[in-house]
Amino acid sequence: MAVNHHVSLSTLDVVRDAPVIPVIVLHDAGHAVPLAQALVAGGIRMLEITLRTPQALDAMRAIAQEVPQAVVGAGTVRGGADAEAALRAGARFVVSPGFTPTLARSCRELDLPLLPGVATAGEIMAAQDEGLGVLKFFPAMQAGGAALLKAWQGPFGDVLFCPTGGVQADNAQALLELGNVACVGGSWLAPARALAAGDWQAITNLARQAKALRRPHFE
């Protein structure tokens, strides 16, 4: 079902839409709209634009205004001010590298779905204390990868994860086979070389391949 800009979104909606959420770093806001169009053409609509460059908010604004099929999210959100700025730029969800109760409450006040990063059992418990049960596992491969996700299935069987950090086309499928993984996040869908060359067809092809990845527990 298409998500439009007038329908309330949940974090679960975000992670279940497709097997991969692209983690996008843009140094040229002019790339934002054609990139979003290329990803949407390949079936990927949830787009995480990271707040790692000065162009990020302009890029979000452009996509929100000109590519209605896309659902813009903000990544690298570290506090309430980041979340507010992202919301004003058109973001409909936010992703953070870590978890703090303050950020969780700020996003709740803004009615912005939050996908917060966790890497330890204590952080998962703190997020659950704030009512959050869909979490980003970051940095996934550096922090323990599939082995840690499997270990968490016992004590945290009610939590869903989006592993991000070191996830690539060649290891994404193995993560998606796990019962507690809803999707993965990765930067390989928007490679710098394709962006610089304006090779939007290459990006659409990468998106199609990502969309075709299997999620046996969620299809």
Side-chain angles (χ1 to χ4, degrees):
M1 189 178 90
V3 175
N4 67 51
H5 289 253
H6 306 290
V7 174
S8 181
L9 197 66
S10 73
T11 311
L12 190 59
D13 295 329
V14 174
V15 299
R16 294 195 73 157
D17 196 70
V20 183
I21 296 174
V23 179
I24 299 164
V25 181
L26 285 175
H27 296 278
D28 181 349
H31 289 154
V33 167
L35 169 64
Q37 290 169 333
L39 290 166
V40 168
I44 302 294
R45 302 178 307 142
M46 301 290 168
L47 312 182
E48 178 189 337
I49 310 293
T50 63
L51 296 179
R52 298 180 195 175
T53 67
Q55 295 79 15
L57 292 171
D58 286 340
M60 283 180 226
R61 206 170 284 114
I63 295 169
Q65 290 171 355
E66 299 184 45
V67 192
Q69 308 96 317
V71 180
V72 183
T76 323
V77 170
R78 297 190 298 171
D82 285 346
E84 284 187 49
L87 180 62
R88 286 197 302 271
R92 298 188 55 216
F93 65 94
V94 297
V95 184
S96 60
F99 171 80
T100 69
T102 305
L103 177 59
R105 290 162 197 163
S106 294
C107 290
R108 197 157 52 238
E109 288 168 9
L110 294 168
D111 197 24
L112 262 178
L114 170 63
L115 182 62
V118 298
T120 68
E123 290 166 348
I124 295 169
M125 291 165 66
Q128 287 189 298
D129 280 348
E130 292 295 329
L132 300 171
V134 181
L135 309 174
K136 172 171 115 168
F137 172 32
F138 177 81
M141 303 315 290
Q142 297 86 342
L148 187 52
L149 285 162
K150 287 176 186 172
W152 280 343
Q153 284 179 326
F156 302 115
D158 54 342
V159 178
L160 284 177
F161 295 97
C162 170
T164 305
V167 181
Q168 301 291 338
D170 60 359
N171 61 13
Q173 185 61 64
L175 291 165
L176 291 166
E177 300 283 342
L178 300 174
N180 57 349
V181 172
C183 69
V184 300
S187 58
W188 82 88
L189 294 191
R193 185 177 298 179
L195 286 171
D199 191 349
W200 311 119
Q201 186 57 52
I203 287 171
T204 293
N205 293 343
L206 289 169
R208 285 200 182 112
Q209 292 162 14
K211 179 73 172 177
L213 290 168
R214 299 180 313 280
R215 290 184 287 181
H217 302 281
F218 294 94
E219 299 304 334

